[in-house]
Amino acid sequence: MSLRPWRDITRRTSRQIMVGNVPVGGDAPVTVQTMTNTPTDDIKATVDQIRRCEEAGVDIIRVSCPDVESTSALKQIVRASRVPIVADIHFHYKRALEAADAGAACLRINPGNIGSASRVKEVVDAAKSNGCAIRIGVNGGSLERHLLEKYGEPCPDALVESALDHIKLLQDHDFHEFKVAVKASDLFLAVAAYQQLAEQVDCPLHLGITEAGGFVGGTVKSAIGMGSLLWYGIGDTIRVSLSAEPEEEVRVGFEILKALGIRNRGVRVVSCPSCARQGFDVIRTVQALEERLQHIRTPMSLSVLGCVVNGPGEARETDIGITGGGNGKHMVYLSGVTDHHVQDADMVNHIVKLVEAKAAELEAADAAVAALVPEMAAE
């Protein structure tokens, strides 16, 4: 029994596939994906964007391949990327063949949209021979006509039936290295479809609330929709679809996972909304700290509270904390214990140094433990 059972999430059991060198499903961590928005044939711009996403912590990146110029550029992009590349294919099966040959780790397709059974077989054969996974991408905005006629509108049953039809096309060719998404911009529709599909298949599920909107609105919709599913134990990989830069999608994705305790990366900030009691400008301080601590990947916690009402209590639960005091003099907590004071003018720089030092300490401890494991196994 867990000490805090109200925090426990029982994850849906799924079989594991590989997307390049990244495991998806099974007991692998929930991965965070995004998609480039540069012209794919502009290799430099695309690689530069991929690099920014890598720095933000992305696990897998999707690249659109609408034409032969894009798939021609893909080989260099794959070679430059440090993370697996998913080639986004819609209707032309030859783009899928070219992308597989160019080194894509995964093909995002709907098998039923690429033509005859012989074309599906060609794509599956190319995926097999190149070690590609496939993501089946069902979308509420582009359901097949016969399903719309059957159900009258996009609904969970229609999305799930579409997914099952596409799955069968792959299974008929003895291909099982696939994951599935049943996305919709209506979060109620998406959540219901994923819940229904999760009960009928054992493949990994890729979560997303598609066309979620701008940064604020899209973040809220994605957090409600994907957060509900993840809390319920559904989801092996996620993409936050925002009208924002891809690296912002990555950061939001990790924040969703961090909030649920599913995956921790970087600094988890606990901060107050601020009020007239605040001893310093909480809002601007948190903004500055979040910006300057983006490079920290080691999981740790930081509390930034403007006054002593909740500050000491929150600081007791975090690695580093700061609580506002009078006359520009604020209390710093280390590992939950009051340690020293800092003045307004030095506060942000001081906290950044403390976080960096704590991260280095935790990394060194992890390295020491890792070094002991092979020694202990050898004894």
Side-chain angles (χ1 to χ4, degrees):
M1 174 68 72
S2 169
L3 291 174
R4 298 178 179 87
W6 62 90
R7 291 184 181 176
D8 293 347
I9 293 175
T10 302
R11 191 168 167 192
R12 162 185 170 266
T13 302
S14 66
R15 56 188 171 79
Q16 190 173 99
I17 69 170
M18 296 298 295
V19 177
N21 61 356
V22 175
V24 174
D27 59 357
V30 176
T31 56
V32 177
Q33 299 189 25
T34 188
M35 184 174 184
T36 58
N37 57 27
T38 53
T40 303
D41 58 357
D42 187 338
I43 295 171
K44 183 181 185 306
T46 302
V47 171
D48 286 348
Q49 191 170 74
I50 288 172
R51 201 67 77 230
R52 293 194 295 274
C53 294
E54 290 170 342
E55 290 170 0
V58 76
D59 298 299
I60 299 169
I61 293 185
R62 182 154 50 114
V63 174
S64 185
C65 294
D67 48 42
V68 69
E69 290 78 15
S70 298
T71 53
S72 296
L74 195 63
K75 183 176 290 188
Q76 292 185 58
I77 293 168
V78 167
R79 191 180 300 122
S81 177
R82 302 185 186 116
V83 298
I85 296 295
V86 178
D88 192 66
I89 312 294
H90 281 277
F91 300 110
H92 207 303
Y93 81 103
K94 285 190 175 180
R95 301 293 84 79
L97 305 181
E98 293 158 2
D101 289 340
C106 182
L107 306 174
R108 187 275 189 194
I109 60 170
N110 280 349
N113 289 351
I114 57 176
S116 64
S118 63
R119 289 182 176 180
V120 174
K121 184 179 186 305
E122 280 192 68
V123 172
V124 170
D125 288 346
K128 286 181 177 180
S129 62
N130 287 283
C132 284
I134 287 178
R135 173 161 82 83
I136 295 171
V138 176
N139 193 305
S142 57
L143 277 172
E144 296 92 325
R145 183 179 299 174
H146 76 277
L147 291 175
L148 289 175
E149 291 174 353
K150 177 179 178 179
Y151 292 100
E153 64 176 2
C155 64
D157 285 346
L159 266 68
V160 171
E161 184 171 331
S162 177
L164 294 176
D165 288 345
H166 293 307
I167 287 171
K168 187 176 185 305
L169 287 173
L170 297 184
Q171 291 177 330
D172 285 348
H173 293 287
D174 195 28
F175 188 86
H176 307 282
E177 294 297 301
F178 60 83
K179 52 183 177 171
V180 182
V182 281
K183 295 184 178 182
S185 58
D186 179 335
L187 69 89
F188 294 97
L189 171 57
V191 169
Y194 276 111
Q195 288 176 328
Q196 188 172 320
L197 184 64
E199 295 176 354
Q200 299 187 47
V201 298
D202 70 345
C203 61
L205 296 181
H206 171 81
L207 302 188
I209 306 299
T210 194
E211 291 99 33
F215 185 79
V216 175
T219 294
V220 171
K221 283 180 67 176
S222 297
I224 294 171
M226 289 193 289
S228 299
L229 290 165
L230 290 163
W231 198 345
Y232 194 67
I234 295 172
D236 302 287
T237 179
I238 67 172
R239 188 260 173 115
V240 181
S241 298
L242 303 176
S243 299
E245 293 304 318
E247 56 266 38
E248 295 301 327
E249 294 187 349
V250 177
R251 294 185 183 111
V252 172
F254 271 104
E255 288 300 323
I256 292 172
L257 296 179
K258 283 161 64 177
L260 290 166
I262 291 173
R263 189 171 172 191
N264 293 310
R265 178 191 182 278
V267 182
R268 177 176 63 86
V269 178
V270 177
S271 61
C272 68
S274 80
C275 69
R277 294 192 303 266
Q278 66 181 352
F280 58 87
D281 188 337
V282 173
I283 294 174
R284 249 55 65 182
T285 299
V286 170
Q287 288 174 343
L289 287 170
E290 287 184 334
E291 180 67 28
R292 292 187 55 185
L293 295 175
Q294 287 182 12
H295 65 291
I296 301 294
R297 298 197 172 200
T298 305
M300 57 188 300
S301 54
L302 167 67
S303 57
V304 183
L305 280 293
C307 75
V308 295
V309 173
N310 293 319
E314 294 291 353
R316 280 196 297 270
E317 304 298 323
T318 54
D319 294 304
I320 297 170
I322 184 160
T323 296
N327 301 317
K329 187 178 181 182
H330 316 300
M331 176 59 72
V332 176
Y333 300 74
L334 301 180
S335 300
V337 179
T338 56
D339 193 84
H340 59 275
H341 290 90
V342 65
Q343 297 292 331
D344 255 342
D346 305 319
M347 182 171 56
V348 171
N349 287 337
H350 185 69
I351 295 298
V352 169
K353 290 179 181 177
L354 288 175
V355 170
E356 290 175 338
K358 183 66 176 181
E361 175 190 327
L362 292 171
E363 289 168 10
D366 288 344
V369 170
L372 279 174
V373 170
E375 291 180 12
M376 293 173 64
E379 291 178 355

mmCIF file of all heavy atoms in Angstrom, residues 100-137:
data_model
loop_
_atom_site.group_PDB
_atom_site.id
_atom_site.type_symbol
_atom_site.label_atom_id
_atom_site.label_comp_id
_atom_site.label_asym_id
_atom_site.label_seq_id
_atom_site.Cartn_x
_atom_site.Cartn_y
_atom_site.Cartn_z
ATOM 1 N N ALA A 100 10.789 6.212 -45.103
ATOM 2 C CA ALA A 100 11.354 5.017 -44.465
ATOM 3 C C ALA A 100 12.796 4.799 -44.921
ATOM 4 O O ALA A 100 13.687 4.524 -44.117
ATOM 5 C CB ALA A 100 10.491 3.797 -44.784
ATOM 6 N N ASP A 101 13.030 4.937 -46.210
ATOM 7 C CA ASP A 101 14.387 4.783 -46.736
ATOM 8 C C ASP A 101 15.333 5.880 -46.247
ATOM 9 O O ASP A 101 16.544 5.666 -46.164
ATOM 10 C CB ASP A 101 14.366 4.783 -48.272
ATOM 11 C CG ASP A 101 13.749 3.504 -48.847
ATOM 12 O OD1 ASP A 101 13.696 2.503 -48.118
ATOM 13 O OD2 ASP A 101 13.320 3.525 -50.026
ATOM 14 N N ALA A 102 14.755 7.055 -45.919
ATOM 15 C CA ALA A 102 15.586 8.181 -45.457
ATOM 16 C C ALA A 102 15.963 8.070 -43.992
ATOM 17 O O ALA A 102 16.737 8.891 -43.491
ATOM 18 C CB ALA A 102 14.851 9.496 -45.709
ATOM 19 N N GLY A 103 15.421 7.079 -43.306
ATOM 20 C CA GLY A 103 15.825 6.870 -41.911
ATOM 21 C C GLY A 103 14.816 7.287 -40.869
ATOM 22 O O GLY A 103 15.151 7.338 -39.671
ATOM 23 N N ALA A 104 13.576 7.600 -41.269
ATOM 24 C CA ALA A 104 12.555 7.944 -40.277
ATOM 25 C C ALA A 104 12.381 6.784 -39.303
ATOM 26 O O ALA A 104 12.390 5.614 -39.691
ATOM 27 C CB ALA A 104 11.226 8.262 -40.960
ATOM 28 N N ALA A 105 12.219 7.105 -38.033
ATOM 29 C CA ALA A 105 12.026 6.066 -37.021
ATOM 30 C C ALA A 105 10.584 5.590 -36.975
ATOM 31 O O ALA A 105 10.294 4.506 -36.461
ATOM 32 C CB ALA A 105 12.436 6.594 -35.652
ATOM 33 N N CYS A 106 9.681 6.429 -37.497
ATOM 34 C CA CYS A 106 8.255 6.106 -37.446
ATOM 35 C C CYS A 106 7.556 6.826 -38.592
ATOM 36 O O CYS A 106 7.983 7.919 -39.004
ATOM 37 C CB CYS A 106 7.670 6.542 -36.094
ATOM 38 S SG CYS A 106 5.923 6.175 -35.840
ATOM 39 N N LEU A 107 6.507 6.230 -39.111
ATOM 40 C CA LEU A 107 5.684 6.845 -40.145
ATOM 41 C C LEU A 107 4.318 7.138 -39.550
ATOM 42 O O LEU A 107 3.666 6.235 -39.008
ATOM 43 C CB LEU A 107 5.530 5.910 -41.345
ATOM 44 C CG LEU A 107 6.807 5.373 -41.988
ATOM 45 C CD1 LEU A 107 6.451 4.355 -43.064
ATOM 46 C CD2 LEU A 107 7.630 6.517 -42.576
ATOM 47 N N ARG A 108 3.884 8.383 -39.650
ATOM 48 C CA ARG A 108 2.543 8.730 -39.197
ATOM 49 C C ARG A 108 1.631 8.666 -40.416
ATOM 50 O O ARG A 108 1.731 9.492 -41.325
ATOM 51 C CB ARG A 108 2.534 10.127 -38.576
ATOM 52 C CG ARG A 108 1.202 10.523 -37.926
ATOM 53 C CD ARG A 108 0.241 11.089 -38.911
ATOM 54 N NE ARG A 108 -0.950 11.653 -38.291
ATOM 55 C CZ ARG A 108 -2.048 11.974 -38.952
ATOM 56 N NH1 ARG A 108 -2.117 11.792 -40.259
ATOM 57 N NH2 ARG A 108 -3.085 12.478 -38.329
ATOM 58 N N ILE A 109 0.772 7.651 -40.461
ATOM 59 C CA ILE A 109 -0.111 7.469 -41.607
ATOM 60 C C ILE A 109 -1.477 6.987 -41.132
ATOM 61 O O ILE A 109 -1.634 6.552 -39.987
ATOM 62 C CB ILE A 109 0.428 6.419 -42.615
ATOM 63 C CG1 ILE A 109 0.579 5.051 -41.936
ATOM 64 C CG2 ILE A 109 1.744 6.860 -43.228
ATOM 65 C CD1 ILE A 109 0.856 3.915 -42.885
ATOM 66 N N ASN A 110 -2.439 7.044 -42.008
ATOM 67 C CA ASN A 110 -3.674 6.283 -41.894
ATOM 68 C C ASN A 110 -3.658 5.293 -43.046
ATOM 69 O O ASN A 110 -3.814 5.698 -44.201
ATOM 70 C CB ASN A 110 -4.904 7.188 -41.989
ATOM 71 C CG ASN A 110 -5.186 7.893 -40.678
ATOM 72 O OD1 ASN A 110 -4.600 7.556 -39.662
ATOM 73 N ND2 ASN A 110 -6.078 8.855 -40.705
ATOM 74 N N PRO A 111 -3.440 4.009 -42.775
ATOM 75 C CA PRO A 111 -3.307 3.037 -43.863
ATOM 76 C C PRO A 111 -4.453 3.081 -44.872
ATOM 77 O O PRO A 111 -4.232 2.885 -46.067
ATOM 78 C CB PRO A 111 -3.270 1.694 -43.115
ATOM 79 C CG PRO A 111 -2.711 2.035 -41.780
ATOM 80 C CD PRO A 111 -3.264 3.388 -41.450
ATOM 81 N N GLY A 112 -5.658 3.361 -44.396
ATOM 82 C CA GLY A 112 -6.800 3.392 -45.302
ATOM 83 C C GLY A 112 -6.820 4.573 -46.240
ATOM 84 O O GLY A 112 -7.596 4.597 -47.205
ATOM 85 N N ASN A 113 -5.973 5.575 -46.004
ATOM 86 C CA ASN A 113 -5.967 6.781 -46.830
ATOM 87 C C ASN A 113 -4.922 6.757 -47.940
ATOM 88 O O ASN A 113 -4.832 7.709 -48.712
ATOM 89 C CB ASN A 113 -5.706 8.021 -45.961
ATOM 90 C CG ASN A 113 -6.881 8.360 -45.061
ATOM 91 O OD1 ASN A 113 -7.947 7.780 -45.205
ATOM 92 N ND2 ASN A 113 -6.676 9.272 -44.138
ATOM 93 N N ILE A 114 -4.110 5.706 -47.985
ATOM 94 C CA ILE A 114 -2.986 5.746 -48.926
ATOM 95 C C ILE A 114 -3.208 4.874 -50.154
ATOM 96 O O ILE A 114 -2.282 4.650 -50.929
ATOM 97 C CB ILE A 114 -1.663 5.361 -48.239
ATOM 98 C CG1 ILE A 114 -1.756 3.975 -47.607
ATOM 99 C CG2 ILE A 114 -1.278 6.383 -47.198
ATOM 100 C CD1 ILE A 114 -0.442 3.511 -47.002
ATOM 101 N N GLY A 115 -4.458 4.399 -50.324
ATOM 102 C CA GLY A 115 -4.754 3.710 -51.568
ATOM 103 C C GLY A 115 -5.035 2.235 -51.410
ATOM 104 O O GLY A 115 -5.518 1.773 -50.375
ATOM 105 N N SER A 116 -4.706 1.480 -52.432
ATOM 106 C CA SER A 116 -5.056 0.065 -52.532
ATOM 107 C C SER A 116 -4.311 -0.792 -51.514
ATOM 108 O O SER A 116 -3.345 -0.354 -50.877
ATOM 109 C CB SER A 116 -4.724 -0.434 -53.938
ATOM 110 O OG SER A 116 -3.325 -0.360 -54.149
ATOM 111 N N ALA A 117 -4.769 -2.027 -51.404
ATOM 112 C CA ALA A 117 -4.124 -2.978 -50.504
ATOM 113 C C ALA A 117 -2.662 -3.206 -50.880
ATOM 114 O O ALA A 117 -1.799 -3.387 -50.011
ATOM 115 C CB ALA A 117 -4.879 -4.306 -50.521
ATOM 116 N N SER A 118 -2.377 -3.150 -52.167
ATOM 117 C CA SER A 118 -0.990 -3.357 -52.597
ATOM 118 C C SER A 118 -0.095 -2.210 -52.127
ATOM 119 O O SER A 118 1.070 -2.424 -51.794
ATOM 120 C CB SER A 118 -0.920 -3.489 -54.120
ATOM 121 O OG SER A 118 -1.353 -2.304 -54.758
ATOM 122 N N ARG A 119 -0.645 -0.991 -52.120
ATOM 123 C CA ARG A 119 0.136 0.156 -51.635
ATOM 124 C C ARG A 119 0.370 0.066 -50.122
ATOM 125 O O ARG A 119 1.451 0.401 -49.630
ATOM 126 C CB ARG A 119 -0.573 1.456 -51.994
ATOM 127 C CG ARG A 119 -0.533 1.758 -53.485
ATOM 128 C CD ARG A 119 -1.207 3.074 -53.807
ATOM 129 N NE ARG A 119 -1.071 3.395 -55.234
ATOM 130 C CZ ARG A 119 -1.559 4.485 -55.801
ATOM 131 N NH1 ARG A 119 -2.233 5.366 -55.074
ATOM 132 N NH2 ARG A 119 -1.383 4.700 -57.094
ATOM 133 N N VAL A 120 -0.657 -0.363 -49.404
ATOM 134 C CA VAL A 120 -0.494 -0.566 -47.965
ATOM 135 C C VAL A 120 0.610 -1.580 -47.708
ATOM 136 O O VAL A 120 1.472 -1.393 -46.837
ATOM 137 C CB VAL A 120 -1.816 -1.027 -47.319
ATOM 138 C CG1 VAL A 120 -1.594 -1.385 -45.847
ATOM 139 C CG2 VAL A 120 -2.884 0.050 -47.442
ATOM 140 N N LYS A 121 0.598 -2.654 -48.494
ATOM 141 C CA LYS A 121 1.639 -3.681 -48.334
ATOM 142 C C LYS A 121 3.023 -3.114 -48.619
ATOM 143 O O LYS A 121 3.994 -3.428 -47.910
ATOM 144 C CB LYS A 121 1.365 -4.866 -49.257
ATOM 145 C CG LYS A 121 2.357 -6.026 -49.073
ATOM 146 C CD LYS A 121 2.042 -7.188 -49.979
ATOM 147 C CE LYS A 121 2.954 -8.378 -49.681
ATOM 148 N NZ LYS A 121 4.383 -8.041 -49.750
ATOM 149 N N GLU A 122 3.153 -2.272 -49.624
ATOM 150 C CA GLU A 122 4.453 -1.657 -49.925
ATOM 151 C C GLU A 122 4.951 -0.827 -48.757
ATOM 152 O O GLU A 122 6.137 -0.858 -48.409
ATOM 153 C CB GLU A 122 4.341 -0.775 -51.170
ATOM 154 C CG GLU A 122 4.378 -1.523 -52.487
ATOM 155 C CD GLU A 122 4.566 -0.568 -53.659
ATOM 156 O OE1 GLU A 122 5.665 0.030 -53.763
ATOM 157 O OE2 GLU A 122 3.621 -0.407 -54.448
ATOM 158 N N VAL A 123 4.044 -0.059 -48.145
ATOM 159 C CA VAL A 123 4.433 0.779 -47.004
ATOM 160 C C VAL A 123 4.833 -0.092 -45.828
ATOM 161 O O VAL A 123 5.861 0.160 -45.167
ATOM 162 C CB VAL A 123 3.282 1.734 -46.615
ATOM 163 C CG1 VAL A 123 3.614 2.457 -45.316
ATOM 164 C CG2 VAL A 123 3.035 2.748 -47.728
ATOM 165 N N VAL A 124 4.050 -1.124 -45.553
ATOM 166 C CA VAL A 124 4.379 -2.022 -44.444
ATOM 167 C C VAL A 124 5.720 -2.709 -44.693
ATOM 168 O O VAL A 124 6.558 -2.814 -43.782
ATOM 169 C CB VAL A 124 3.262 -3.063 -44.238
ATOM 170 C CG1 VAL A 124 3.706 -4.149 -43.254
ATOM 171 C CG2 VAL A 124 2.000 -2.380 -43.717
ATOM 172 N N ASP A 125 5.942 -3.162 -45.909
ATOM 173 C CA ASP A 125 7.222 -3.810 -46.237
ATOM 174 C C ASP A 125 8.393 -2.852 -46.050
ATOM 175 O O ASP A 125 9.465 -3.243 -45.553
ATOM 176 C CB ASP A 125 7.196 -4.332 -47.674
ATOM 177 C CG ASP A 125 6.301 -5.559 -47.844
ATOM 178 O OD1 ASP A 125 5.921 -6.157 -46.810
ATOM 179 O OD2 ASP A 125 5.971 -5.899 -48.998
ATOM 180 N N ALA A 126 8.187 -1.580 -46.448
ATOM 181 C CA ALA A 126 9.248 -0.577 -46.279
ATOM 182 C C ALA A 126 9.516 -0.323 -44.804
ATOM 183 O O ALA A 126 10.670 -0.163 -44.380
ATOM 184 C CB ALA A 126 8.847 0.719 -46.980
ATOM 185 N N ALA A 127 8.435 -0.281 -44.019
ATOM 186 C CA ALA A 127 8.603 -0.088 -42.575
ATOM 187 C C ALA A 127 9.355 -1.257 -41.957
ATOM 188 O O ALA A 127 10.272 -1.071 -41.142
ATOM 189 C CB ALA A 127 7.237 0.094 -41.914
ATOM 190 N N LYS A 128 8.985 -2.470 -42.340
ATOM 191 C CA LYS A 128 9.668 -3.654 -41.807
ATOM 192 C C LYS A 128 11.147 -3.668 -42.166
ATOM 193 O O LYS A 128 12.013 -3.894 -41.317
ATOM 194 C CB LYS A 128 8.999 -4.921 -42.345
ATOM 195 C CG LYS A 128 7.653 -5.252 -41.723
ATOM 196 C CD LYS A 128 7.104 -6.549 -42.319
ATOM 197 C CE LYS A 128 5.802 -6.956 -41.687
ATOM 198 N NZ LYS A 128 5.251 -8.211 -42.266
ATOM 199 N N SER A 129 11.443 -3.396 -43.427
ATOM 200 C CA SER A 129 12.838 -3.500 -43.876
ATOM 201 C C SER A 129 13.708 -2.386 -43.321
ATOM 202 O O SER A 129 14.932 -2.544 -43.220
ATOM 203 C CB SER A 129 12.898 -3.501 -45.408
ATOM 204 O OG SER A 129 12.383 -2.294 -45.934
ATOM 205 N N ASN A 130 13.095 -1.264 -42.935
ATOM 206 C CA ASN A 130 13.875 -0.142 -42.384
ATOM 207 C C ASN A 130 13.752 -0.002 -40.868
ATOM 208 O O ASN A 130 14.310 0.937 -40.294
ATOM 209 C CB ASN A 130 13.430 1.165 -43.039
ATOM 210 C CG ASN A 130 13.901 1.307 -44.471
ATOM 211 O OD1 ASN A 130 15.062 1.610 -44.729
ATOM 212 N ND2 ASN A 130 12.993 1.058 -45.423
ATOM 213 N N GLY A 131 13.046 -0.921 -40.242
ATOM 214 C CA GLY A 131 12.909 -0.866 -38.788
ATOM 215 C C GLY A 131 12.053 0.287 -38.303
ATOM 216 O O GLY A 131 12.280 0.817 -37.209
ATOM 217 N N CYS A 132 11.073 0.688 -39.108
ATOM 218 C CA CYS A 132 10.186 1.809 -38.755
ATOM 219 C C CYS A 132 8.986 1.322 -37.961
ATOM 220 O O CYS A 132 8.414 0.274 -38.265
ATOM 221 C CB CYS A 132 9.628 2.490 -40.010
ATOM 222 S SG CYS A 132 10.765 3.546 -40.870
ATOM 223 N N ALA A 133 8.589 2.117 -36.994
ATOM 224 C CA ALA A 133 7.282 1.942 -36.382
ATOM 225 C C ALA A 133 6.260 2.715 -37.221
ATOM 226 O O ALA A 133 6.629 3.467 -38.134
ATOM 227 C CB ALA A 133 7.293 2.448 -34.947
ATOM 228 N N ILE A 134 4.985 2.546 -36.909
ATOM 229 C CA ILE A 134 3.930 3.301 -37.585
ATOM 230 C C ILE A 134 2.992 3.878 -36.528
ATOM 231 O O ILE A 134 2.674 3.204 -35.537
ATOM 232 C CB ILE A 134 3.131 2.408 -38.563
ATOM 233 C CG1 ILE A 134 3.983 2.088 -39.795
ATOM 234 C CG2 ILE A 134 1.814 3.061 -38.989
ATOM 235 C CD1 ILE A 134 3.314 1.163 -40.814
ATOM 236 N N ARG A 135 2.609 5.131 -36.710
ATOM 237 C CA ARG A 135 1.553 5.695 -35.869
ATOM 238 C C ARG A 135 0.310 5.891 -36.706
ATOM 239 O O ARG A 135 0.330 6.622 -37.697
ATOM 240 C CB ARG A 135 1.933 7.039 -35.239
ATOM 241 C CG ARG A 135 0.706 7.651 -34.513
ATOM 242 C CD ARG A 135 1.060 8.682 -33.515
ATOM 243 N NE ARG A 135 1.291 9.999 -34.052
ATOM 244 C CZ ARG A 135 0.329 10.887 -34.333
ATOM 245 N NH1 ARG A 135 -0.949 10.573 -34.215
ATOM 246 N NH2 ARG A 135 0.652 12.083 -34.783
ATOM 247 N N ILE A 136 -0.753 5.241 -36.302
ATOM 248 C CA ILE A 136 -2.055 5.450 -36.922
ATOM 249 C C ILE A 136 -2.651 6.707 -36.305
ATOM 250 O O ILE A 136 -2.806 6.796 -35.088
ATOM 251 C CB ILE A 136 -2.974 4.238 -36.692
ATOM 252 C CG1 ILE A 136 -2.406 3.007 -37.400
ATOM 253 C CG2 ILE A 136 -4.396 4.537 -37.143
ATOM 254 C CD1 ILE A 136 -3.118 1.711 -37.046
ATOM 255 N N GLY A 137 -2.973 7.674 -37.144
ATOM 256 C CA GLY A 137 -3.471 8.949 -36.640
ATOM 257 C C GLY A 137 -4.900 9.222 -37.062
ATOM 258 O O GLY A 137 -5.138 9.747 -38.156
#
